[in-house]
């Protein structure tokens, strides 16, 4: 059963990294298209919030898998 949990955790890590990379690419692309956006604080703050949410989701899922 532990191998199943480890597999699920690896799969969640894979998807979370993939989703974050898509968000990062889209955000930077929009920042390049609109001049001056890369200098805005809220532009980078959005990426930081997305990264924090991805990490938080990973640890919540890890806790949820190990609760039983």
């Amino acid at each position: 059963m532990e191998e199943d949990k480890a597999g699920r955790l690896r799969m969640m890590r894979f998807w979370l990294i993939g989703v974050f990379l898509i968000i990062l690419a889209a955000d930077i692309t929009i920042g390049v298209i609109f001049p001056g956006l890369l200098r805005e604080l809220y532009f980078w703050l959005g990426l930081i919030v997305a990264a924090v949410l991805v990490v938080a989701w990973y640890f919540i899922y890890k806790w949820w898998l190990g609760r039983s």
Side-chain angles (χ1 to χ4, degrees):
M1 194 64 159
E2 289 297 322
E3 187 175 318
D4 182 44
K5 288 181 182 180
R8 288 182 183 188
L9 196 58
R10 279 194 308 272
M11 187 64 77
M12 180 59 77
R13 186 172 40 229
F14 170 78
W15 282 105
L16 285 174
I17 290 171
V19 166
F20 180 72
L21 288 177
I22 290 170
I23 291 171
L24 178 69
D27 205 29
I28 290 178
T29 301
I30 295 297
V32 168
I33 290 173
F34 295 107
L37 192 58
L38 290 173
R39 292 188 298 260
E40 294 292 326
L41 174 66
Y42 289 123
F43 176 80
W44 296 108
L45 193 60
L47 283 177
I48 292 170
V49 167
V52 168
L53 288 174
V54 163
V55 170
W57 184 262
Y58 174 76
F59 284 111
I60 290 170
Y61 187 71
K62 186 176 180 180
W63 168 81
W64 186 77
L65 280 179
R67 67 186 162 89
S68 56

